[in-house]
Amino acid sequence: MAERALARLTRLLGIVSYLETHGEAPFDELAARFGTTPTQIEADVWLLFTTGKPGGMPDDYVDFDGDALDEGIARLRDGQGLTQVRFSAREAVALLGALSSLEASGAAPPAAASALTKLKTAVGDVAPVEVMGESRADPQVVAVVREGAESGRAVALEYVDAQDHRTERLIEPHRLVTIDGVGYVECWCHRAGDYRTLRLDRIMSAALTEDVVTHAPADHTGFSLAPRYEATVEAARAARWALESMPGASISETDQGILTTFPVADADWVAGRLLAIGPHLHSVAPAALADAVARRAADVLAAQDG
Amino acid sequence: MAGTEAAGRLLNLIIALTDSGARMTRERIRATVEGYDTVPAGASEDERRRLDAAFERKFERDKDDLRRLGIPLRTVVDPIHGDDIGYRIDAAAAALPPLDLSPAELAVVGIAADLWSDATLGEDARQALTKVASASDERPSERVVLSGTSSAVADAVAALVEAIELRREVRFGYTSAASGSSTRTVRPWRLVLRGGALYLQGHDVDRGEPRTFRLSRFHGTVRAVGDEGAFEIPAAMPAAFEEQEPGEALLAVRAEAGHALRARGAARGRDGEWDVIAVRYHHADQLRDEVLALAGAARVIEPLWLADEVRAHARGALEAVRG
C-alpha cells in the first residue's frame, strides 16, 4: 500500500529541518532516524529536488550537493525556508495521551515524566487532553523491579493476587508493560515454575537479589491462562461497557438487552466482575459459572449483614 | 508511489505561502504553484467548469491536509478588494520549537508512539514521532524494558479531537448505568485521561449542562454535526469537572485478607473477628467492586449507602443466576 502523503510530507520536512541544523548526513543515518530505508531516503531527496518556489528559476528549488549524493550523503545547499512544523492537535493527543498513559500506569521510567513536560511545552495549547489521577503502584517497588529487569537480576516480591491470596515470590523480571493504562511486569516466576504477568500495584514490597536471571523472556506477551469453557451472559444494555472489557468478548444485541460470550479461564475472577454489574444481569451460563457467581454473592451478603 | 504527487504539491504550497510574506489568492496559487491544473487556452466552457471544480476540491483537501499536519492557513482579506481572500503561513508560528530530548526520553517516546493498536491514532502518533526525530540531536537509547498497548476506541478519539479543534458538535451512541442506551449530542471541550481510561468532557446539548462521558461506553461512530465554530470552549472548566475530594470509607476485613486494601488504608482497631480499616477513595464504584471481588472477606461499615450498593449488586447477581 502506498504510504500516505502526510506521513511522507512530515518526513520530507524532517529531513530538511535536520539538515538545516546538521548540514549533512548519510542516507542510512537519516533512514535510522526516521524509521525507513536508505532507498526511501534517496527517493525523498529526489522528490525534494523537484520542489520550490513559484516561478521555477534555478535558485528557486530545494538543492543538494550532487557529488555528495553519489556517495550516499545528503548535504543540503538550499532548503527554501522549509522547516519541520508544530504538532497538530491529533498528533499531540496521540503522543501525549500515549505517554501520559504509560506514565500514569506507574510502569514507565522517570524519563517518561520529563519527556512529557518537554513535549507539553512544545505542544502549547493545541492538545485538548488533560491527565488526572495517578497510579497506585508504589514507585519504590517499580524502581526495584525495573532495576532487576535492566540489570538481569531476580527480585523477591510480596504479592497479593486478585483473589486476595498473599504470596512471596522470586521472579526474574524481563519487561514492564502497560495494558490499557495499568502497569504489569512480565517475568519468570519461580514459585509458579512458569511465565507470569503480575500487576505492579499488587506488589506490596520488592527487594533486589544477587541471583542472575536464567530464563529467557517469553516470546509472547500478556496473559497465558488457558480458557476452560465459554461463558454466555445476558444483561441489560447498561452493562455493555463492563462486558466489553472481558478478554475475548463478543457481543450482540437482543430485544431484552445484550448477549455476550467470552472464554473463561478463571471462574472466580469472572464471577467477581459479574457481581459488579449484578443489578443488570439477566442470566449466566454454564452452571459452573452461575454457581461461582451465586456462591460469591451469598458470601458478600452474609458478610455485609453479619 | 501515490503519495509523491500530493506530497510534492503540498511542499510547493508550503514554500509559496511561507515565502510570499504577503498573501496569495486562490487564483494566484492555482496559476503559479506547481501541481495544480490550470485551464488551457481555448478550453470549452464545460471543460473550464470541470477543471475549476476539480481545483476547488483539490485545494480544499490540501488546506485540510495542512491543518492536519499542524499548519493552520491564515486567511488574509485584502483591505481594498474585500471579497478577495488570500492565504499565507506564518513561518514563526508554524515552526516546531526545539525539543532537546535525552536518549532515554526519546526511547520512551518511541514506545509511547506504538501504544495505539488502532490505525488512525497510530498514524498520528507515528507522524508526531517523525517530528520529534527531526528536532532532536540525540538518538534513542537502545534498551528500555517497557512496552505498552491500549485497546482504546481510537477512531472516536480522532473524531473528537477534530471536532474540538473545529468547534463542531458531535453525536454518538452512549450507554450509562443511570439512563441506559441513548444518542447524545455534545459540544466537545476536552479529553481527560484518568487511570488509563479516556473521558470526553463537554456540554450535553439535550440536557443543557456540562457532562463527562467515558469513551469505552460509546457505541457506533462519532459523527460531527452542524457548522464549524458553533461554540466557544470555556476558559475555566466548570467546578463539576474538578477531581473530587477523596471520600473515606470504613471497611471490615477478615484476618489474613484484604491485603491490597490494608496496604492503602489505615488500621482503626477491631470489630470482633474483623479488622477495621479506613480507606480513601476517588471513585466509589471502584471501591464497591473491590469489596465485591473479595467475596465476603470484606464488608462496608461506612458510608451506609455504599454498603447498600454492595448488597444490591450481590442480590441482583443472585437473582439472575437463580433465574
Side-chain angles (χ1 to χ4, degrees):
Chain A
M1 202 181 81
E3 187 179 21
R4 283 172 67 254
L6 281 190
R8 185 159 192 209
L9 186 52
T10 309
R11 188 177 59 240
L12 293 168
L13 291 172
I15 292 170
V16 177
S17 229
Y18 184 76
L19 293 177
E20 285 285 3
T21 317
H22 296 86
E24 64 174 51
F27 291 165
D28 50 4
E29 188 198 317
L30 290 172
R33 171 166 289 271
F34 291 108
T36 186
T37 60
T39 315
Q40 180 62 56
I41 293 292
E42 191 171 2
D44 287 347
V45 168
W46 284 105
L47 175 59
L48 282 164
F49 252 129
T50 66
T51 58
K53 289 178 195 160
M57 300 300 281
D59 284 352
D60 289 343
Y61 286 95
V62 175
D63 195 21
F64 293 88
D65 183 327
D67 293 340
L69 285 189
D70 291 340
E71 295 161 33
I73 293 169
R75 183 181 297 145
L76 188 70
R77 278 183 170 154
D78 190 343
Q80 297 297 344
L82 283 175
T83 179
Q84 189 54 277
V85 296
R86 51 190 288 194
F87 298 104
S88 73
R90 267 171 54 173
E91 289 167 359
V93 167
L95 196 59
L96 291 185
L99 199 51
S100 304
S101 177
L102 287 182
E103 222 258 317
S105 75
S114 55
L116 201 51
T117 308
K118 289 180 184 176
L119 286 173
K120 272 185 180 162
T121 311
V123 160
D125 54 3
V126 299
V129 64
E130 247 343 274
V131 181
M132 292 182 174
E134 55 186 29
S135 161
R136 279 184 187 160
D138 179 342
Q140 277 176 313
V141 163
V142 179
V144 169
V145 173
R146 180 180 305 112
E147 195 182 335
E150 283 170 354
S151 64
R153 283 191 290 162
V155 174
L157 304 178
E158 220 182 334
Y159 187 75
V160 177
D161 70 15
Q163 278 78 50
D164 204 41
H165 303 130
R166 184 198 193 92
T167 50
E168 306 214 337
R169 297 162 184 250
L170 184 67
I171 64 158
E172 298 182 358
H174 298 129
R175 194 165 70 143
L176 301 174
V177 296
T178 84
I179 301 168
D180 287 342
V182 178
Y184 301 83
V185 55
E186 289 176 349
C187 59
W188 173 268
C189 175
H190 282 279
R191 188 170 173 277
D194 199 356
Y195 292 100
R196 284 287 183 269
T197 304
L198 305 177
R199 265 182 85 124
L200 291 173
D201 63 2
R202 293 191 174 276
I203 301 174
M204 298 298 126
S205 67
L208 204 60
T209 72
E210 293 303 318
D211 298 353
V212 175
V213 164
T214 53
H215 292 81
D219 50 10
H220 59 273
T221 61
F223 306 90
S224 52
L225 293 169
R228 288 167 35 209
Y229 51 80
E230 178 111 322
T232 305
V233 174
E234 287 180 295
R237 286 193 180 81
R240 184 181 184 116
W241 59 274
L243 291 169
E244 272 176 343
S245 67
M246 292 288 187
S250 72
I251 295 185
S252 58
E253 301 257 343
T254 65
D255 290 345
Q256 289 77 40
I258 54 169
L259 177 75
T260 320
T261 58
F262 52 87
V264 176
D266 180 341
D268 277 341
W269 181 80
V270 171
R273 300 288 296 263
L274 292 180
L275 284 192
I277 51 167
H280 305 299
L281 279 181
H282 292 162
S283 73
V284 176
L289 182 57
D291 288 347
V293 171
R295 205 167 50 240
R296 295 172 75 86
D299 287 346
V300 168
L301 287 173
Q304 199 61 54
D305 295 325
Chain B
M1 175 179 286
T4 303
E5 193 195 322
R9 184 178 69 245
L10 286 164
L11 272 180
N12 288 331
L13 185 60
I14 294 169
I15 293 174
L17 293 180
T18 310
D19 175 68
S20 69
R23 67 205 192 91
M24 274 179 102
T25 63
R26 276 173 189 246
E27 277 316 303
R28 203 166 141 61
I29 289 168
R30 185 178 181 185
T32 61
V33 175
E34 222 168 296
Y36 292 108
D37 297 326
T38 50
V39 181
S44 71
E45 193 57 29
D46 271 2
E47 198 175 352
R48 173 181 296 274
R49 257 201 300 277
R50 191 180 59 74
L51 286 169
D52 283 353
F55 167 75
E56 289 299 326
R57 274 199 307 278
K58 204 185 239 183
F59 185 63
E60 285 305 314
R61 214 166 37 229
D62 286 352
K63 268 182 12 184
D64 240 24
D65 274 348
L66 288 186
R67 182 175 54 77
R68 260 187 218 131
L69 191 68
I71 312 179
L73 281 196
R74 298 192 38 188
T75 48
V76 191
V77 178
D78 189 303
I80 304 162
H81 310 94
D83 54 343
D84 199 7
I85 295 173
Y87 299 90
R88 81 185 182 88
I89 293 170
D90 182 344
L96 183 70
L99 288 172
D100 192 27
L101 296 182
S102 70
E105 288 167 344
L106 286 170
V108 73
V109 169
I111 288 160
D114 277 340
L115 185 86
W116 307 106
S117 48
D118 176 278
T120 314
L121 270 196
E123 272 172 20
D124 287 326
R126 280 188 291 278
Q127 234 163 263
L129 192 62
T130 302
K131 292 185 178 179
V132 170
S134 52
S136 309
D137 292 341
E138 304 281 356
R139 294 291 314 283
S141 52
E142 291 294 323
R143 194 174 135 75
V144 183
V145 288
L146 176 71
S147 87
T149 59
S150 165
S151 57
V153 273
D155 269 338
V157 176
L160 290 170
V161 172
E162 195 103 346
I164 293 170
E165 204 186 354
L166 297 173
R167 310 287 192 268
R168 289 185 79 186
E169 288 181 359
V170 288
R171 200 164 285 160
F172 52 86
Y174 190 73
T175 306
S176 78
S179 53
S181 195
S182 61
T183 300
R184 306 297 188 95
T185 306
V186 175
R187 294 179 182 155
W189 290 344
R190 67 173 183 183
L191 296 171
V192 173
L193 196 74
R194 187 193 284 136
L198 269 164
Y199 300 82
L200 166 70
Q201 293 186 327
H203 179 84
D204 187 318
V205 174
D206 300 318
R207 284 157 185 77
E209 57 183 27
R211 288 284 174 100
T212 300
F213 304 91
R214 192 176 166 130
L215 261 68
S216 60
R217 300 187 188 182
F218 281 46
H219 48 84
T221 48
V222 175
R223 284 183 303 123
V225 291
D227 295 332
E228 293 182 12
F231 56 89
E232 295 276 315
I233 295 174
M237 290 288 158
F241 287 170
E242 276 165 32
E243 183 100 52
Q244 281 168 15
E245 283 294 302
E248 191 174 84
L250 215 51
L251 308 179
V253 291
R254 291 199 192 277
E256 291 299 307
H259 303 295
L261 288 169
R262 284 172 197 270
R264 301 209 303 281
R268 289 282 189 275
R270 294 178 61 81
D271 175 15
E273 297 287 293
W274 301 73
D275 294 324
V276 178
I277 53 171
V279 177
R280 286 154 70 83
Y281 63 90
H282 278 282
H283 302 284
D285 51 351
Q286 279 176 10
L287 186 59
R288 177 198 70 210
D289 292 352
E290 233 178 316
V291 170
L292 286 167
L294 287 172
R299 65 184 159 88
V300 178
I301 302 171
E302 284 172 12
L304 293 177
W305 57 264
L306 188 59
D308 286 342
E309 275 205 25
V310 169
R311 281 191 202 94
H313 278 69
R315 279 202 197 102
L318 207 50
E319 280 164 22
V321 297
R322 285 181 176 162

